[in-house]
Amino acid sequence: MKTSLRTKTIVLIILIAAILSVVGLLVSGRFINRLVEEEYRSRAKEIADTVAVVIDRDRFESLKNDILKIYGRTEEKVTSEEWGSPAFEKYISSFSKVEESEDYRYLLRQLRRIQDVNHVDCLYLSIIDAPTEGFLYAVDAAVEDACPPGCLDPVYEENRELLTNPDRGFPPYITNTEPYGWLVTAGVPVYDKENKVIGYAMVDISMDELRKEQFRFTMRFAVILVVLTGIICLISIWIVNRSIIGPINKLSSAAANYSAGGQEPNYNAFDKLNIHTRDEIESLCDTMKTMLTDMNGYIDSLKTTTQELSKTRIEADELGELARRDLLTGVRNKNAYNEDIAGISEKLGETEFGIAIVDLNDLKLMNDLYGHEKGDQAIRNICSMICDVFKFSPVYRFGGDEFVVILTGRDYAGIETRVSRFEALQNSKEGQPWEAPKAAIGYALYDRRTDNGVEAVFQRADSKMYEQKKRMKAVHV
């Protein structure tokens, strides 16, 4: 039994229209879903990175120590799975004083400022206690249902590597739970000055509205495809000739090329079509071009927004670093010293430190005789010597001709050798006063038995520096 060309054409058009509809719906849905998830993961990672850089690490470390002390003394540890139970309330109440601390309030303000700027649902700081395999909340900036300090969750199987490799962090992952809905979560390690992990800067970004919008878009797209399929079927009843087959094949080929060849679709597949049949098929082609152009524009907009967020974070980091640097020498300035010394004062007695003070001799005389340009050169040269000797400690330009070194690590342990080397380095320099500048140095090491603060250490170092300056002047005379 022969089948008419009209019937074959109608059947063929219906099949192609159905294939185009299904492929278009599946490909666009999967592609947009994958791209959106990648963009959200990237954004979560970038925001977590920003929090890890901006957050006050010293306050975080101090708060962490307070929480772990209470946690270690608590015999019955209750996880958040028992939220609201008397046992959970009793367990959480032991951490109530933490919320009253200045460290907690300061960190909470920091997180909420970042949270508001980036329009995210929740930023929080967490701690991993490896011996008990516990995930502890330190500060939760969520406006509603925030987890209090000490709130305990187990370390889930996918993150157990953190127990032995804390630098791993929490790579961005997406979850869908009944209480929280769709969330993308990421966590980045926060390091102390010794490059050890203090805890983690965490971010939760809700994807519920996005999922709803995706569903609505998919439904609208499905309706459009159904309508277009119906139009094609009606056209096939009236147009049964060879001029229909060619354009349909071209449309089918363009749809196949759109999703072919790897990770990124071929955006130009429909733009390259050249169909001028002056009927519904040409309209169909134009409609699909417009639809895909709008969709591609939405994707490009997402990428542009992500790039702008990255640029803003980088500019903020650069401005923050510039405010802590001395423009003449490149070392840290007095603002940086005050910030760093405040952190030391909060943990006074926990770590060993000392202070060395270096004062350039005869700077005013050098400026008067040779000009301020030579005086600036002398400052840079003496700064270079200080940095060369004290390689393991931060150096600060404290005043016009005065430098301060916070002694740590090897410099602290070998301070006498460092001072001798500094004096020898000065004596080895030859040339004009600005080429071979001389400076007095004095230092003091913190003694918890006699020093009641950092200022006492500074004053002792300052006194020793002036004593040496007098000796140097007496020898010069």
Side-chain angles (χ1 to χ4, degrees):
M1 179 179 179
K2 293 184 178 180
T3 304
S4 67
L5 181 60
R6 179 177 180 275
T7 303
K8 290 181 179 179
T9 304
I10 293 174
V11 172
L12 181 62
I13 290 175
I14 292 174
L15 287 176
I16 292 176
I19 291 172
L20 284 173
S21 299
V22 174
V23 170
L25 186 62
L26 292 177
V27 170
S28 62
R30 290 182 62 184
F31 175 74
I32 292 175
N33 184 67
R34 183 179 64 186
L35 182 61
V36 167
E37 287 185 356
E38 289 176 356
E39 291 293 335
Y40 265 71
R41 286 191 181 99
S42 176
R43 182 168 181 246
K45 178 67 165 56
E46 289 176 358
I47 294 174
D49 283 332
T50 300
V51 175
V53 172
V54 172
I55 203 70
D56 191 319
R57 294 175 294 173
D58 294 330
R59 289 183 181 272
F60 185 17
E61 186 171 15
S62 175
L63 184 67
K64 168 191 174 181
N65 293 334
D66 293 341
I67 291 174
L68 289 181
K69 286 179 183 177
I70 299 172
Y71 181 75
R73 293 196 303 263
T74 304
E75 294 182 0
E76 184 178 0
K77 297 173 174 60
V78 183
T79 67
S80 61
E81 294 178 355
E82 298 184 43
W83 185 289
S85 67
F88 179 82
E89 296 298 331
K90 180 181 178 181
Y91 165 75
I92 286 298
S93 65
S94 61
F95 296 88
S96 58
K97 291 185 178 179
V98 173
E99 292 184 276
E100 300 173 4
S101 68
E102 181 59 28
D103 288 337
Y104 176 86
R105 293 176 179 176
Y106 182 89
L107 293 171
L108 181 61
R109 289 194 298 270
Q110 271 195 307
L111 290 177
R112 285 190 171 165
R113 282 197 294 268
I114 301 171
Q115 190 170 274
D116 292 340
V117 168
N118 289 278
H119 306 292
V120 295
D121 300 273
C122 181
L123 297 177
Y124 52 102
L125 300 176
S126 66
I127 304 165
I128 297 294
D129 184 63
T132 61
E133 300 183 358
F135 176 97
L136 292 167
Y137 286 80
V139 183
D140 187 349
V143 178
E144 298 180 359
D145 298 328
C147 294
C151 185
L152 174 64
D153 282 337
V155 176
Y156 296 111
E157 189 63 32
E158 60 267 25
N159 294 316
R160 288 185 63 82
E161 186 181 343
L162 281 170
L163 301 176
T164 55
N165 181 20
D167 294 306
R168 170 184 177 269
F170 294 80
Y173 59 94
I174 296 175
T175 57
N176 181 21
T177 59
E178 185 174 350
Y180 301 109
W182 286 96
L183 284 179
V184 57
T185 301
V188 173
V190 179
Y191 296 93
D192 61 14
K193 295 175 183 177
E194 296 179 0
N195 208 33
K196 294 181 179 179
V197 176
I198 304 171
Y200 300 91
M202 308 289 296
V203 58
D204 285 342
I205 303 178
S206 175
M207 298 178 67
D208 280 343
E209 287 301 319
L210 180 66
R211 293 297 190 193
K212 292 177 182 177
E213 183 60 31
Q214 281 184 273
F215 178 77
R216 290 192 288 266
F217 172 82
T218 302
M219 291 298 101
R220 289 195 296 268
F221 189 35
V223 171
I224 291 172
L225 290 177
V226 170
V227 172
L228 292 176
T229 303
I231 293 173
I232 294 172
C233 291
L234 290 175
I235 293 172
S236 67
I237 298 174
W238 300 97
I239 304 176
V240 185
N241 56 56
R242 297 171 67 182
S243 64
I244 300 175
I245 305 303
I248 290 179
N249 287 336
K250 290 181 181 180
L251 285 174
S252 179
S253 177
N257 288 334
Y258 180 78
S259 61
Q263 296 181 350
E264 296 225 0
N266 183 359
Y267 291 160
N268 297 322
F270 281 88
D271 293 335
K272 295 177 181 178
L273 285 179
N274 188 21
I275 297 176
H276 299 290
T277 57
R278 298 181 181 181
D279 54 20
E280 288 83 352
I281 296 179
E282 183 176 350
S283 299
L284 172 63
C285 181
D286 293 337
T287 301
M288 297 190 76
K289 285 182 180 180
T290 302
M291 177 187 66
L292 293 174
T293 299
D294 294 341
M295 186 170 64
N296 296 339
Y298 173 71
I299 293 169
D300 292 339
S301 176
L302 283 177
K303 292 181 178 178
T304 300
T305 301
T306 301
Q307 291 171 356
E308 290 175 352
L309 285 173
S310 300
K311 182 179 178 182
T312 301
R313 177 177 61 82
I314 292 171
E315 290 175 351
D317 293 344
E318 290 175 349
L319 287 174
E321 182 62 22
L322 185 62
R324 292 169 52 87
R325 290 289 172 183
D326 174 54
L327 297 180
L328 179 61
T329 62
V331 298
R332 305 180 191 187
N333 59 19
K334 191 173 181 179
N335 290 335
Y337 171 82
N338 291 334
E339 292 178 9
D340 294 345
I341 215 68
I344 294 175
S345 298
E346 292 177 359
K347 300 183 293 181
L348 196 64
E350 296 182 12
T351 57
E352 296 179 330
F353 77 95
I355 293 177
I357 301 177
V358 180
D359 192 87
L360 179 63
N361 293 339
D362 302 323
L363 177 61
K364 184 178 183 305
L365 179 61
M366 204 179 306
N367 287 333
D368 294 339
L369 292 177
Y370 306 106
H372 285 274
E373 183 177 347
K374 300 301 183 185
D376 289 346
Q377 188 173 344
I379 292 172
R380 287 192 292 268
N381 286 338
I382 202 69
C383 178
S384 178
M385 292 186 215
I386 297 170
C387 294
D388 185 50
V389 172
F390 297 97
K391 294 182 179 179
F392 303 99
S393 301
V395 178
Y396 309 82
R397 187 182 177 200
F398 204 69
D401 55 0
E402 188 175 29
F403 293 85
V404 176
V405 182
I406 298 178
L407 301 170
T408 60
R410 298 181 188 178
D411 293 335
Y412 173 90
I415 181 59
E416 294 183 2
T417 303
R418 298 294 192 275
V419 171
S420 298
R421 185 183 171 203
F422 178 70
E423 293 173 347
L425 188 59
Q426 289 186 81
N427 295 332
S428 67
K429 301 289 183 181
E430 296 180 356
Q432 297 294 335
W434 59 87
E435 296 172 334
K438 298 295 186 291
I441 184 171
Y443 74 90
L445 304 180
Y446 171 69
D447 188 341
R448 68 182 65 192
R449 297 171 299 179
T450 58
D451 294 327
N452 57 2
V454 176
E455 185 62 25
V457 184
F458 184 94
Q459 293 299 331
R460 287 198 290 116
D462 197 48
S463 297
K464 290 184 179 180
M465 182 273 292
Y466 276 107
E467 289 175 6
Q468 189 191 23
K469 185 176 282 289
K470 290 178 181 179
R471 289 195 297 271
M472 294 176 74
K473 287 185 178 180
V475 171
H476 181 69
V477 173

